[in-house]
Amino acid sequence: MALLEVENLHTYYGKIHALKGISLTVEEGEIVTLIGGNGAGKTTTLNSICGIVRSSEGRVVLAEEDITTMPPHEIVARGIIQSPEGRKIFQRLTVVENLEMGAYTRTDHHEIARDLDFVFQTFPRLKERIKQLGGTLSGGEQQMLAIGRALMSRPRVLLLDEPSMGLAPLLVRDIFRVIEYLNGHGTTILLVEQNALMALAVAHRGYVLQTGRITMSDTAQALRQNEMVRAAYLGEH
């Protein structure tokens, strides 16, 4: 059994049929990426998994437990944690307060301290700015903070939504090195990313979404070599 299974998800925004039967799996220890153009349904897929948006049909199963109808806070407690598109950090809280918010459901204070150390080890720049307000950080630092806050919830599956959006090329490379580093330390990751070249470089497998449907799935290496993917998403003709 896969760690995360999504089966035949249909999601609507009013009368707009956003997801039209999405099915995917994520095995423990994998990085799986969803690639596709704007409006393909990538963020809606993550939000449907998290319970932020309610699907009208289909199932989401985590470690053989059906979590489809659970409220978002219970899904978080089960270990599905999202670092959202646009970061959405707490602008008026300090770096350390933002990170502590990621652990607000936890009571294991000794382990929280260890996880805080791991976040600062992963993102040394955050430790340098520990008392700085989130809203005064650069875009790259805010992205680090958003991922760090998600890590403080001890994710079984970490959902990353457009982690490279709006970042300079050097910072994009830094973020993807961190994604590989986290995966190397045992974090299972479902990655939504418009930079398909970078996403397929770090992922084990990938799914291609087009207008709410999965049109292709394969190993990341096979997708990188696929002529349609190369033309549509990698800028190669």
Side-chain angles (χ1 to χ4, degrees), residues 216-229:
M216 195 180 307
S217 66
D218 212 326
T219 65
Q221 183 177 3
L223 290 174
R224 284 200 306 271
Q225 296 169 348
N226 181 276
E227 288 187 11
M228 188 280 286
V229 172

Side-chain angles (χ1 to χ4, degrees), residues 7 50 129-130 144 147 196 223:
E7 301 174 1
C50 291
R129 289 155 174 72
I130 190 168
M144 295 172 193
I147 295 173
L223 290 174

Side-chain angles (χ1 to χ4, degrees), residues 55-231:
S55 53
S56 60
E57 187 179 333
R59 293 200 314 153
V60 179
V61 179
L62 178 68
E64 302 188 38
E65 181 181 17
D66 191 331
I67 62 171
T68 313
T69 59
M70 287 183 184
H73 69 277
E74 288 189 17
I75 293 174
V76 166
R78 295 298 194 282
I80 293 184
I81 314 297
Q82 183 172 186
S83 177
E85 180 182 2
R87 295 136 203 173
K88 296 184 175 61
I89 62 163
F90 298 102
Q91 304 274 327
R92 297 184 180 181
L93 297 184
T94 64
V95 165
V96 71
E97 287 168 342
N98 266 276
L99 295 173
E100 288 168 349
M101 287 299 290
Y104 80 99
T105 61
R106 297 173 56 186
T107 57
D108 51 338
H109 300 293
H110 180 69
E111 292 299 312
I112 289 171
R114 286 183 57 182
D115 290 343
L116 195 59
D117 286 342
F118 177 73
V119 170
F120 287 142
Q121 175 187 323
T122 306
F123 301 111
R125 207 175 306 177
L126 294 183
K127 189 168 186 179
E128 295 169 9
R129 289 155 174 72
I130 190 168
K131 294 185 178 178
Q132 196 168 321
L133 294 181
T136 67
L137 300 177
S138 70
E141 290 163 351
Q142 289 191 15
Q143 185 61 67
M144 295 172 193
L145 184 55
I147 295 173
R149 182 182 59 191
L151 292 175
M152 291 300 295
S153 297
R154 285 223 169 155
R156 296 179 75 182
V157 183
L158 176 61
L159 310 184
L160 295 177
D161 195 355
E162 303 286 6
S164 78
M165 180 180 285
L167 300 185
L170 277 175
L171 284 174
V172 170
R173 286 196 287 274
D174 287 345
I175 289 295
F176 277 94
R177 275 197 290 267
V178 165
I179 290 170
E180 288 188 292
Y181 175 78
L182 294 175
N183 182 246
H185 280 73
T187 304
T188 302
I189 296 170
L190 179 57
L191 169 66
V192 159
E193 178 57 60
Q194 283 209 301
N195 189 332
L197 188 64
M198 294 294 285
L200 291 172
V202 300
H204 300 98
R205 294 188 298 113
Y207 294 86
V208 178
L209 269 67
Q210 291 180 319
T211 59
R213 290 188 173 91
I214 289 174
T215 58
M216 195 180 307
S217 66
D218 212 326
T219 65
Q221 183 177 3
L223 290 174
R224 284 200 306 271
Q225 296 169 348
N226 181 276
E227 288 187 11
M228 188 280 286
V229 172
R230 291 170 67 172

